[in-house]
mmCIF file of all heavy atoms in Angstrom:
data_model
loop_
_atom_site.group_PDB
_atom_site.id
_atom_site.type_symbol
_atom_site.label_atom_id
_atom_site.label_comp_id
_atom_site.label_asym_id
_atom_site.label_seq_id
_atom_site.Cartn_x
_atom_site.Cartn_y
_atom_site.Cartn_z
ATOM 1 N N ASN A 465 71.408 96.752 91.314
ATOM 2 C CA ASN A 465 70.791 95.638 91.999
ATOM 3 C C ASN A 465 69.610 96.045 92.860
ATOM 4 O O ASN A 465 68.964 95.190 93.431
ATOM 5 C CB ASN A 465 71.837 94.939 92.898
ATOM 6 C CG ASN A 465 73.032 94.530 92.108
ATOM 7 O OD1 ASN A 465 72.936 93.717 91.212
ATOM 8 N ND2 ASN A 465 74.188 95.141 92.407
ATOM 9 N N GLU A 466 69.326 97.377 92.860
ATOM 10 C CA GLU A 466 68.215 97.887 93.675
ATOM 11 C C GLU A 466 68.223 97.324 95.084
ATOM 12 O O GLU A 466 67.264 96.699 95.538
ATOM 13 C CB GLU A 466 66.877 97.620 92.979
ATOM 14 C CG GLU A 466 66.829 98.347 91.656
ATOM 15 C CD GLU A 466 65.690 97.860 90.779
ATOM 16 O OE1 GLU A 466 64.886 97.072 91.221
ATOM 17 O OE2 GLU A 466 65.651 98.283 89.611
ATOM 18 N N PRO A 467 69.373 97.509 95.759
ATOM 19 C CA PRO A 467 69.477 96.909 97.104
ATOM 20 C C PRO A 467 68.613 97.652 98.125
ATOM 21 O O PRO A 467 68.166 98.757 97.901
ATOM 22 C CB PRO A 467 70.968 97.094 97.415
ATOM 23 C CG PRO A 467 71.360 98.308 96.688
ATOM 24 C CD PRO A 467 70.557 98.299 95.415
ATOM 25 N N GLU A 468 68.392 96.963 99.264
ATOM 26 C CA GLU A 468 67.643 97.628 100.337
ATOM 27 C C GLU A 468 68.511 98.748 100.946
ATOM 28 O O GLU A 468 67.947 99.760 101.374
ATOM 29 C CB GLU A 468 67.305 96.585 101.400
ATOM 30 C CG GLU A 468 66.274 95.587 100.942
ATOM 31 C CD GLU A 468 66.262 94.294 101.784
ATOM 32 O OE1 GLU A 468 66.608 94.349 102.960
ATOM 33 O OE2 GLU A 468 65.893 93.279 101.224
ATOM 34 N N VAL A 469 69.805 98.534 100.995
ATOM 35 C CA VAL A 469 70.696 99.516 101.571
ATOM 36 C C VAL A 469 71.954 99.598 100.710
ATOM 37 O O VAL A 469 72.443 98.598 100.247
ATOM 38 C CB VAL A 469 71.140 99.100 103.000
ATOM 39 C CG1 VAL A 469 71.999 100.195 103.630
ATOM 40 C CG2 VAL A 469 69.931 98.841 103.890
ATOM 41 N N VAL A 470 72.444 100.855 100.469
ATOM 42 C CA VAL A 470 73.672 101.019 99.757
ATOM 43 C C VAL A 470 74.717 101.483 100.802
ATOM 44 O O VAL A 470 74.493 102.435 101.551
ATOM 45 C CB VAL A 470 73.537 102.074 98.660
ATOM 46 C CG1 VAL A 470 74.873 102.229 97.912
ATOM 47 C CG2 VAL A 470 72.442 101.740 97.695
ATOM 48 N N LEU A 471 75.823 100.800 100.825
ATOM 49 C CA LEU A 471 76.891 101.132 101.768
ATOM 50 C C LEU A 471 78.027 101.750 100.973
ATOM 51 O O LEU A 471 78.447 101.240 99.978
ATOM 52 C CB LEU A 471 77.398 99.861 102.444
ATOM 53 C CG LEU A 471 76.306 99.010 103.148
ATOM 54 C CD1 LEU A 471 76.932 97.702 103.685
ATOM 55 C CD2 LEU A 471 75.665 99.771 104.304
ATOM 56 N N LEU A 472 78.505 102.894 101.470
ATOM 57 C CA LEU A 472 79.563 103.597 100.720
ATOM 58 C C LEU A 472 80.748 103.853 101.630
ATOM 59 O O LEU A 472 80.624 104.527 102.672
ATOM 60 C CB LEU A 472 79.041 104.956 100.159
ATOM 61 C CG LEU A 472 77.813 104.832 99.248
ATOM 62 C CD1 LEU A 472 76.569 105.296 99.997
ATOM 63 C CD2 LEU A 472 78.003 105.639 97.986
ATOM 64 N N ASP A 473 81.885 103.250 101.286
ATOM 65 C CA ASP A 473 83.059 103.334 102.158
ATOM 66 C C ASP A 473 84.008 104.383 101.623
ATOM 67 O O ASP A 473 84.814 104.075 100.712
ATOM 68 C CB ASP A 473 83.755 101.958 102.222
ATOM 69 C CG ASP A 473 84.912 101.982 103.199
ATOM 70 O OD1 ASP A 473 85.105 102.986 103.899
ATOM 71 O OD2 ASP A 473 85.647 100.949 103.226
ATOM 72 N N GLU A 474 83.925 105.622 102.090
ATOM 73 C CA GLU A 474 84.751 106.731 101.598
ATOM 74 C C GLU A 474 84.858 106.670 100.047
ATOM 75 O O GLU A 474 85.973 106.703 99.510
ATOM 76 C CB GLU A 474 86.131 106.656 102.206
ATOM 77 C CG GLU A 474 86.091 106.505 103.703
ATOM 78 C CD GLU A 474 87.168 107.236 104.426
ATOM 79 O OE1 GLU A 474 87.846 108.079 103.826
ATOM 80 O OE2 GLU A 474 87.328 107.017 105.666
ATOM 81 N N PRO A 475 83.750 106.699 99.345
ATOM 82 C CA PRO A 475 83.829 106.518 97.899
ATOM 83 C C PRO A 475 84.449 107.661 97.166
ATOM 84 O O PRO A 475 84.845 107.527 96.023
ATOM 85 C CB PRO A 475 82.376 106.291 97.503
ATOM 86 C CG PRO A 475 81.620 107.075 98.524
ATOM 87 C CD PRO A 475 82.371 106.952 99.811
ATOM 88 N N LEU A 476 84.531 108.831 97.795
ATOM 89 C CA LEU A 476 85.030 110.017 97.086
ATOM 90 C C LEU A 476 86.432 110.400 97.483
ATOM 91 O O LEU A 476 86.987 111.338 96.928
ATOM 92 C CB LEU A 476 84.081 111.213 97.348
ATOM 93 C CG LEU A 476 82.601 110.943 97.047
ATOM 94 C CD1 LEU A 476 81.786 112.128 97.428
ATOM 95 C CD2 LEU A 476 82.421 110.616 95.575
ATOM 96 N N SER A 477 87.034 109.666 98.431
ATOM 97 C CA SER A 477 88.276 110.161 99.013
ATOM 98 C C SER A 477 89.466 110.103 98.052
ATOM 99 O O SER A 477 90.426 110.800 98.261
ATOM 100 C CB SER A 477 88.597 109.354 100.283
ATOM 101 O OG SER A 477 88.839 108.014 99.933
#
Side-chain angles (χ1 to χ4, degrees):
Chain A
N465 305 296
E466 296 165 8
E468 290 161 27
V469 182
V470 182
L471 306 174
L472 304 105
D473 185 8
E474 312 216 12
L476 306 176
S477 64

